[in-house]
Structure formats: C-alpha cells, structure tokens
Amino acid sequence: MNQENTGAAAQLDARARDFSVLFSSTPRGARLARLLAAEQLRSWGLPWETAGQIVAELAANAATHGRLPGRSFRLALHAAYGVLRIEVTDTRGDRRPVRREPGAEDETGRGLLLVAALADRWGVAEDRFPRKIVWAELDFGSPEPGAPCFGGTGGH
C-alpha cells in the first residue's frame, strides 16, 4: 500500500469522483494530461505526486505508441471506496503495451516498469474497436483518527 495515501480514504469513501478529458496525441497533450490530473487530484484533496507520475507515463505512451493522426487519447480518473483508478484510452488497440527490461544503454522503455513499481495494480483492457485502455490503480490506506486529508506530499 502507498504510504502517501494515509488519510485520503475518508474522502474517497464519502463520494465517488470522476474526471475525463480528451487530449491531442502529442507530447504537449501528454504534458497537459499530467498537469490537469495533478490539479484535479489536488482539488479533490487527494495525494497527487505518485498518480501524476503514472499519468505522465501512460499519457506519454499513448501519445507515442498509441498515436494515430487526427485521433486523441482520453484520460479518466475515478476515485471511490479507497481506490484511485487512472485510465488512458488510445486508438491503437492493435498495439498492446509490453513491459520489458531495457538495457543499461537504452534511453527509453522504462515507463511501464515505473507504472508497475508505483501502482498497486495495472493492466490493459480492450475497448470498442479500435481502442484500448491502459489502467493503473492506487489504494488509499485507512485514515487514522484525526488525520487530515492532504493533497500532494510523500512518495511511494
């Protein structure tokens, strides 16, 4: 369980929250997805640093490997019952992400390793053709009595 998440479960259980936006499949769209996700989580009073890193990796993958000219990717955040679910949907259902071990000299290929290390669960789901959804979930711990909810400190 993520250490930064203590205290956030009370807010998640109080009310389900959803956020969904389309972004251009470009590096700029991926960066905007990360920034807006962090701001949305802060506005909900939830920890955002680990989730922001996961969004950054999944959005970058969608903009790089899931890109089709003229097609966007969707970022969705769902928070309820002690779980934050991050979903990135792109239009390259034929290209399934593969977690691999990059060599020491490789400059890319570590994104899904980072997602796997940070998330409590992650995976890929088929959507209506030609889309796929790459998702990750973060569990939030039980709040301690009197513990305040916070919005952006800590690490995994």
Side-chain angles (χ1 to χ4, degrees):
M1 180 176 1
N2 297 314
Q3 294 299 320
E4 77 177 78
N5 301 335
T6 303
Q11 281 192 331
L12 287 180
D13 290 336
R15 178 175 46 156
R17 297 172 183 205
D18 293 294
F19 172 81
S20 180
V21 178
L22 282 174
F23 295 95
S24 64
S25 292
T26 63
R28 184 177 183 182
R31 186 177 74 241
L32 184 58
R34 177 184 55 82
L35 293 171
L36 289 180
E39 185 56 36
Q40 186 64 51
L41 292 171
R42 277 193 291 266
S43 77
W44 289 345
L46 300 176
W48 56 268
E49 287 184 342
T50 298
Q53 290 175 322
I54 292 171
V55 169
E57 293 301 331
L58 296 183
N61 283 351
T64 303
H65 306 293
R67 179 182 182 160
L68 282 175
R71 301 279 177 100
S72 300
F73 72 90
R74 178 176 300 280
L75 167 68
L77 304 174
H78 309 285
Y81 303 107
V83 176
L84 172 65
R85 184 175 175 101
I86 300 162
E87 296 180 347
V88 175
T89 305
D90 67 44
T91 55
R92 290 299 307 257
D94 59 322
R95 285 191 170 176
R96 308 280 290 187
V98 176
R99 191 174 104 189
R100 60 185 180 94
E101 296 290 332
E105 300 297 316
D106 291 342
E107 294 183 13
T108 62
R110 291 172 178 80
L112 289 178
L113 288 174
L114 183 59
V115 170
L118 294 174
D120 292 299
R121 290 166 300 285
W122 76 278
V124 182
E126 291 184 19
D127 198 13
R128 287 190 344 196
F129 182 80
R131 298 183 302 234
K132 72 174 175 293
I133 301 168
V134 183
W135 58 269
E137 292 181 340
L138 294 170
D139 292 333
F140 291 89
S142 299
E144 301 198 14
C149 291
F150 55 92
T153 60
H156 183 76

